[in-house]
Amino acid sequence: MSELKNDRFLRALKRQPVDQTPIWMMRQAGRYLPEYRATRAKAGDFMSLCKNTALACEVTMQPLERYAFDAAILFSDILTIPDAMGLGLHFVTGEGPRFKYPVQDAAAIERLEVINTERDLTYVTDAVRAIRSELNGRVPLIGFSGSPWTLATYMVEGGPSKDFARIKSMVYGDSAPLHLLLDKLAESVIDYLNAQIEAGAQAVQIFDTWGGALSEKAYIEFSLNYMQKIVSNLHKSWDGHEIPVILFTKGGGQWLEAIANAGANAVGLDWTTSLKQARERVGHQVALQGNMDPAVLNGSDEAIRTEVRRLLDNYGNHSGHVFNLGHGITPLIDPAKVGVFVNEVQEYSRKIRQA
């Protein structure tokens, strides 16, 4: 495969010097882009878009045509693994993902089989290969998965939840079936991410969207321990290159030290955690990724520039920072605002490096 022309993102994850702070954006290929909406309409529905290799490659590349991002991220969904387990994933307009067959008792969990990616999710690895070829070394490609805890919340609740009542009753009741579910999911994620790496992903991120809904003790036991198991079983290198791992727990800044000890190269932060304090807490143990509130992109151009500068000043002229939003970009953002955001990160971070 082609040598990388822009390796800022990978260098930052390894806490090496860079000429400017690398930037990518969670959900950077998504509904805020009119070209994405057009391609999705052509596909028919969201999962058909994910499963169409050419179209998944097309939408992955779309934001790179508009903005000078330092990484591409595979276009897919965190719920591909439970879908491959046969739970009947479908999307309800205005409500999001739903499962026809949620797993809500020990018998249902016992029946689940650990996935084999090359058998069950070939459309994902096909997309990774196609995107790597299309990128031709332009920027690195990020692969990803949901965390076991986050996947389990959808599988047990049957879809999104505000209070996680069903799964939390398992946390605080007979937790043995939940641990079995999380272990099967961890084994599946290991296989899934390693398959993505073998297909060409140059870094991987684990999205723990709902870890922040847990207490500290429950977070360690039911979320972080399983992510740590995944990290320790991923390919450390492939094709002669190190494969960095990013852990992102939304709402997890209070457990930063514990997350930093889980073995990943970088920790993603949402906007509720100070970058300056986070760097002081973990030193140079891990790189940090984040962490602008996506809502800032609804503001004026000057408000966006001001917040970008504040965050970059907050981090300071230190290695090991990847700029990102604190969570995914929301659908109603004006694409022009993203241009302001990206340009300011790049221009201002260059000034900091040269100071």
Side-chain angles (χ1 to χ4, degrees):
M1 292 186 179
S2 301
E3 286 298 310
L4 270 176
K5 302 174 181 71
N6 173 357
D7 67 348
R8 280 189 204 103
F9 168 70
L10 296 179
R11 288 178 63 81
L13 291 180
K14 299 170 190 175
R15 302 180 303 288
Q16 296 172 351
V18 289
D19 58 333
Q20 63 189 42
T21 302
I23 179 173
W24 69 281
M25 198 170 64
M26 288 185 276
R27 294 198 197 121
Q28 66 186 26
R31 289 176 288 172
Y32 73 103
L33 291 176
E35 55 267 42
Y36 168 84
R37 296 194 296 270
T39 306
R40 178 168 169 167
K42 183 165 58 175
D45 59 63
F46 177 72
M47 286 308 293
S48 295
L49 178 55
C50 290
K51 294 178 179 182
N52 184 309
T53 301
L55 295 184
C57 180
E58 180 181 316
V59 296
T60 299
M61 298 299 297
Q62 284 171 349
L64 299 179
E65 300 307 315
R66 278 185 180 256
Y67 315 110
F69 285 126
D70 293 293
I73 183 164
L74 164 70
F75 179 79
S76 189
D77 191 77
I78 65 167
L79 297 180
T80 51
I81 287 175
D83 182 41
M85 289 177 162
L87 302 191
L89 175 65
H90 59 284
F91 289 81
V92 178
T93 303
E95 296 182 19
R98 288 282 183 271
F99 284 111
K100 188 175 181 183
Y101 310 108
V103 290
Q104 296 174 344
D105 57 44
I109 292 169
E110 288 279 359
R111 287 194 295 270
L112 292 175
E113 293 186 9
V114 173
I115 65 150
N116 177 303
T117 303
E118 289 295 352
R119 178 192 68 207
D120 304 323
L121 288 167
T122 53
Y123 67 87
V124 175
T125 48
D126 286 348
V128 171
R129 293 184 186 97
I131 296 162
R132 269 300 299 273
S133 177
E134 186 68 23
L135 283 169
N136 193 30
R138 183 171 170 180
V139 293
L141 174 61
I142 306 167
F144 74 92
S145 173
S147 71
W149 167 257
T150 291
L151 298 180
T153 65
Y154 288 99
M155 294 167 71
V156 172
E157 301 290 338
S161 174
K162 291 183 179 178
D163 58 12
F164 304 101
R166 287 192 178 96
I167 195 166
K168 283 193 174 184
S169 71
M170 299 172 76
V171 167
Y172 296 109
D174 177 9
S175 62
L178 179 55
H179 278 299
L180 177 60
L181 173 59
L182 292 167
D183 199 59
K184 288 185 176 185
L185 287 169
E187 292 293 337
S188 295
V189 171
I190 291 164
D191 185 87
Y192 187 52
L193 289 179
N194 277 336
Q196 290 182 39
I197 292 166
E198 291 164 17
Q202 291 148 292
V204 294
Q205 175 159 316
I206 300 173
F207 284 85
D208 186 33
T209 310
W210 300 122
L214 291 164
S215 68
E216 179 181 17
K217 179 179 180 296
Y219 174 71
I220 301 299
E221 180 177 351
F222 294 94
S223 183
L224 187 59
N225 283 349
Y226 289 96
M227 291 195 289
Q228 188 167 10
K229 175 181 178 177
I230 292 164
V231 172
S232 65
N233 284 281
L234 292 180
H235 296 314
K236 300 297 181 287
S237 63
W238 192 258
D239 196 27
H241 299 282
E242 182 183 351
I243 307 295
V245 181
I246 307 163
L247 294 184
F248 172 64
T249 294
K250 185 172 182 286
Q254 68 270 36
W255 308 312
L256 175 59
E257 291 84 354
I259 300 170
N261 285 329
N265 302 79
V267 177
L269 299 169
D270 67 21
W271 58 91
T272 62
T273 299
S274 159
L275 278 174
K276 181 176 187 293
Q277 291 174 10
R279 188 180 56 77
E280 290 169 349
R281 286 163 63 188
V282 299
H284 294 287
Q285 182 180 358
V286 291
L288 295 174
Q289 179 176 276
N291 64 338
M292 194 174 87
D293 184 344
V296 174
L297 295 173
N298 288 307
S300 66
D301 291 1
E302 189 51 39
I304 294 168
R305 294 188 187 102
T306 298
E307 182 64 359
V308 165
R309 291 184 211 120
R310 185 187 74 81
L311 290 167
L312 286 169
D313 285 338
N314 209 240
Y315 192 86
N317 188 12
H318 304 279
S319 61
H321 183 210
V322 173
F323 212 107
N324 206 316
L325 301 177
H327 199 230
I329 186 172
T330 52
L332 299 180
I333 297 297
D334 178 353
K337 301 291 186 180
V338 178
V340 173
F341 167 54
V342 174
N343 291 341
E344 190 63 23
V345 169
Q346 293 172 332
E347 291 174 13
Y348 193 71
S349 67
R350 274 199 301 272
K351 291 178 184 175
I352 291 175
R353 295 288 185 278
Q354 294 164 5

